[in-house]
Amino acid sequence: MWFHGTRVRDINSFYECGILTKKEIYPKLYLLLKSLSDGLETSGNYINDSSVSAKFNINDEGPFAFMIRCLAIEAPNSYHNYTKAPELVEDIAGSLLGENYHQLVSRFQESTIPCLVSFTAKPIGSELSRTLFFLKLIQDGKSEIEAGSIVNIFLDSCGKSITVDRIVNIEKL
């Protein structure tokens, strides 16, 4: 079981389309953010411009998910909190408004619902041993957040969308 944190206008869209890859969601998200940016002014450069430039070399990626549920919701330490604002939303907002991207991200947050989509996927590596390590850390007294941060079990489906039949649950946060 994997947990994908995000924000959407209609949580039922996952039952219609599954979880899309970056390449599949980008045009839809760009149009939404472009329409939400009406009346906002562009100023300066986006703080993560160099990171965005590096990502353009990636053909496709995601969807991403965590195996430890609380990490997908709380995003401690250096984790990005996708339930507050997906990274792609911030990047598109930055390309549209530069350093004023926060204004557009706020509009996006006001018009969307944070949610957690759980789905199944076959193991692709060391998930079993890392899950056992997670359980050992819990047994040794670590909190779920601490143990989850240490084992860091996440999924990049590498440009393959998560089909509707693999979605188990969609939870509003």
Side-chain angles (χ1 to χ4, degrees):
M1 184 77 71
W2 295 94
F3 300 96
H4 174 78
T6 193
R7 297 184 75 90
V8 292
R9 285 189 155 177
D10 177 12
I11 65 169
N12 292 316
S13 64
F14 293 110
Y15 289 123
E16 297 165 11
C17 304
I19 306 173
L20 303 177
T21 66
K22 179 180 175 180
K23 185 186 227 178
E24 293 169 324
I25 197 63
Y26 185 94
K28 297 174 186 187
L29 204 48
Y30 182 87
L31 289 174
L32 171 62
L33 291 167
K34 182 73 173 154
S35 71
L36 290 173
S37 70
D38 284 346
L40 298 177
E41 291 186 28
T42 302
S43 176
N45 293 319
Y46 175 48
I47 191 168
N48 293 323
D49 261 347
S50 59
S51 172
V52 173
S53 297
K55 291 176 193 173
F56 280 121
N57 294 329
I58 299 170
N59 184 30
D60 202 7
E61 61 182 351
F64 297 99
F66 292 92
M67 183 172 274
I68 309 302
R69 182 182 181 280
C70 61
L71 293 181
I73 297 170
E74 296 181 36
N77 306 323
S78 62
Y79 293 101
H80 185 87
N81 191 328
Y82 298 95
T83 62
K84 287 191 179 176
E87 192 173 347
L88 186 55
V89 167
E90 291 177 346
D91 291 346
I92 294 171
S95 72
L96 293 169
L97 298 181
E99 64 188 24
N100 289 342
Y101 78 100
H102 285 293
Q103 296 170 12
L104 183 50
V105 170
S106 290
R107 283 189 180 178
F108 174 79
Q109 290 168 328
E110 291 168 7
S111 69
T112 57
I113 303 162
C115 62
L116 189 67
V117 182
S118 56
F119 64 92
T120 59
K122 292 182 181 179
I124 56 172
S126 60
E127 292 94 346
L128 180 58
S129 61
R130 293 175 85 181
T131 301
L132 292 172
F133 182 46
F134 170 79
L135 293 173
K136 171 71 170 122
L137 291 169
I138 296 291
Q139 183 182 27
D140 289 348
K142 298 277 187 202
S143 69
E144 281 187 50
I145 291 283
E146 290 173 309
S149 295
I150 291 168
V151 298
N152 192 27
I153 310 170
F154 70 94
L155 172 78
D156 174 359
S157 67
C158 300
K160 295 180 182 161
S161 60
I162 305 303
T163 56
V164 172
D165 60 307
R166 293 173 42 205
I167 293 177
V168 176
N169 189 40
I170 303 168
E171 175 185 354
K172 284 185 186 180
L173 299 176

